[in-house]
Amino acid sequence: MEAQRGLNHPQPVLQEWIQKDFGVSGFPRSIHVAGTNGKGSTITWLEVLLKAKGLSTGSFTSPHLLEHRERLRINGTPISNDQWESLFDESAERFIERQMTMFEMDLFMACSLFQNEQPDWVLMETGMGGERDATTALDYPVAIVTQTGMDHMAFLGSTKEEIACSKAGVIKPSMQIITAERNPACLAVYKERAARQNARLTVIPEEIDHEEDFWNPALPAYQKDNFLCAKTALEQAGFSFSVDELRQAVQDFFWPARFQILRADPLLLLDGAHNGEGIDALCRSLKQSPWQIEQIYFSVLADKQADRMIDQLRSLGARLTLVAFESYRLGDLEKLAARHHLEQIDFETMIKQLPSEQENTLICGSLYFAGDVLKALKAMHGKESR
């Protein structure tokens, strides 16, 4: 299944298949989440906020960290391997006949799951962009566009404005749109598209009201916008939240590999920030935190703005080491090391060093890298416990 990568089929084709397979054009209570960064976190905030209201959720996100089944969740919990295999088997013939991509298969399995489970709310994350993304083939009453950043430029455009035009494709007639966008040019794109589609656009507030009553200061600053996107979207859908409900949602929030503390003292912090805007948000959050990072292990995929990311990380004043992990998309770390005068090590060496690391340490640069770190540490702890 994971070998079936490539460009998605045209929207009309996907819409025809969805109507044929499921008899619907979308789910009546659903939220579509797009944006360069923060999509997965925003869906997790939606899950915990709806849970605080006693409502169930079905979520589709990507990529996964450890196992492919993580992409499909009911009430925040990934489906079981048996469920995954059953969903795949029931549609396998159609998948092969239609020559569907992995992402399309994931989406159709999610639709099947949600039709079977009937959660109160369906939460869908775009894979890339918006206009041509497979998830956009469905109709939604509400959409969120977090923020626009420089990522996937080969597919979405070489400027933020061009990328915003692609992401604006999620805006459909008469829907509610919520955004955390601050860039004037990008915001103008979303406003123009919303006006054309007779959609209502809401820009989230810059601060959380009465955050001292419920917010967890241990959460990174960048999560505030994601929280506000989720809360604002649900308020536009008719919800209101008490302080106790907000406090419960904040207490329940957890999204792995996003400012995840793997060890408290000395600090070992894992974050999946994987583009310039993500690294910038991570650095801002760390500068507002009580920690001083002393060692950074960094890896990066070939299609990312690696030089910009390295320059941003250097503002933390920490020692920076490049790490080569197993990925066909890995950047040319040797050239990066030579250009920036950095040490490069392999993944296994880093993993062996982590237990004895005596400095506050950050691991970042790629969600795939972060996933491999979690797998390796899990395997290491499993061996130690035997």
Side-chain angles (χ1 to χ4, degrees):
M1 178 183 182
E2 296 203 4
Q4 304 304 312
R5 301 176 186 271
L7 295 177
N8 295 320
H9 287 82
Q11 293 281 313
V13 173
L14 291 172
Q15 288 165 344
E16 180 183 338
W17 289 345
I18 288 169
Q19 188 65 237
K20 181 178 180 180
D21 291 0
F22 307 109
V24 298
S25 60
F27 296 91
R29 288 185 293 184
S30 57
I31 301 177
H32 198 195
V33 182
T36 303
N37 294 306
K39 297 186 294 294
S41 292
T42 299
I43 283 186
T44 303
W45 280 116
L46 288 165
E47 288 175 339
V48 295
L49 285 165
L50 288 164
K51 177 186 173 186
K53 284 294 185 184
L55 297 172
S56 61
T57 54
S59 304
F60 171 52
T61 62
S62 63
H64 58 276
L65 281 173
L66 304 179
E67 298 180 70
H68 204 115
R69 64 187 178 91
E70 295 167 17
R71 297 177 179 223
L72 276 61
R73 304 200 298 267
I74 297 293
N75 297 325
T77 301
I79 63 172
S80 68
N81 284 320
D82 286 345
Q83 283 178 294
W84 177 269
E85 290 173 9
S86 177
L87 286 167
F88 180 81
D89 289 345
E90 73 182 31
S91 299
E93 287 186 17
R94 289 196 299 272
F95 291 161
I96 295 169
E97 180 185 335
R98 295 166 175 172
Q99 297 184 309
M100 296 174 77
T101 66
M102 177 189 73
F103 190 80
E104 290 169 344
M105 293 184 228
D106 287 341
L107 174 63
F108 276 61
M109 288 167 66
C111 289
S112 180
L113 174 69
F114 303 152
Q115 197 164 63
N116 293 339
E117 296 288 335
Q118 293 290 303
D120 294 314
W121 281 83
V122 166
L123 313 172
M124 292 279 201
E125 176 187 348
T126 59
M128 180 175 64
E131 186 176 22
R132 294 186 297 274
D133 193 78
T135 57
T136 308
L138 291 156
D139 292 329
Y140 308 84
V142 182
I144 296 170
V145 181
T146 55
Q147 288 185 348
T148 312
M150 302 298 288
D151 206 354
H152 304 297
M153 286 92 80
F155 300 96
L156 304 181
S158 58
T159 68
K160 282 191 176 183
E161 193 170 356
E162 289 176 351
I163 293 170
C165 287
S166 175
K167 296 186 185 300
V170 303
I171 303 175
K172 295 185 177 182
S174 304
M175 73 185 328
Q176 297 277 358
I177 305 294
I178 290 82
T179 186
E181 187 58 68
R182 311 289 185 206
N183 181 289
C186 296
L187 191 54
V189 169
Y190 298 136
K191 286 180 176 178
E192 189 275 333
R193 173 80 177 202
R196 238 184 325 124
Q197 298 282 29
N198 195 30
R200 180 179 174 184
L201 177 69
T202 301
V203 180
I204 64 166
E206 295 193 7
E207 299 291 338
I208 299 174
D209 287 338
H210 307 293
E211 71 171 83
E212 67 279 0
D213 293 334
F214 62 86
W215 188 254
N216 179 2
L219 288 171
Y222 66 71
Q223 284 296 356
K224 291 183 179 181
D225 275 357
N226 300 326
F227 164 81
L228 282 169
C229 279
K231 177 173 174 283
T232 304
L234 293 175
E235 287 171 342
Q236 293 293 333
F239 290 94
S240 61
F241 295 91
S242 68
V243 170
D244 285 343
E245 288 169 337
L246 293 174
R247 189 180 296 119
Q248 184 62 54
V250 170
Q251 182 179 315
D252 289 342
F253 179 83
F254 174 69
W255 190 222
R258 280 73 169 185
F259 220 76
Q260 182 177 355
I261 298 174
L262 301 176
R263 185 182 61 218
D265 187 21
L267 179 70
L268 179 57
L269 187 70
L270 179 68
D271 197 281
H274 54 278
N275 52 47
E277 284 75 17
I279 292 293
D280 187 47
L282 171 61
C283 291
R284 286 198 310 270
S285 293
L286 281 167
K287 289 170 184 177
Q288 295 173 35
S289 78
W291 301 300
Q292 176 62 50
I293 297 297
E294 299 161 287
Q295 169 69 57
I296 300 171
Y297 292 111
F298 174 75
S299 198
V300 64
L301 300 184
D303 60 343
K304 307 300 179 180
Q305 294 180 305
D307 295 302
R308 175 186 171 188
M309 295 161 76
I310 288 171
D311 288 342
Q312 289 166 303
L313 287 169
R314 278 188 152 156
S315 72
L316 296 174
R319 185 169 61 258
L320 185 60
T321 303
L322 301 182
V323 182
F325 74 106
E326 192 65 36
S327 173
Y328 73 95
R329 294 175 59 193
L330 186 67
D332 190 334
L333 300 191
E334 289 188 7
K335 287 185 178 179
L336 280 175
R339 191 155 62 241
H340 293 274
H341 309 290
L342 297 173
E343 178 188 8
Q344 179 189 339
I345 61 174
D346 60 43
F347 183 83
E348 291 73 21
T349 299
M350 179 195 72
I351 291 297
K352 288 176 183 176
Q353 290 177 183
L354 290 179
S356 58
E357 186 69 69
Q358 296 301 306
E359 297 180 310
N360 287 339
T361 299
L362 167 66
I363 303 172
C364 66
S366 162
L367 276 173
Y368 298 99
F369 179 42
D372 281 0
V373 170
L374 290 175
K375 286 179 192 173
L377 293 179
K378 182 180 180 181
M380 180 187 294
H381 292 151
K383 289 177 183 177
E384 289 172 354
S385 65
R386 287 200 290 269

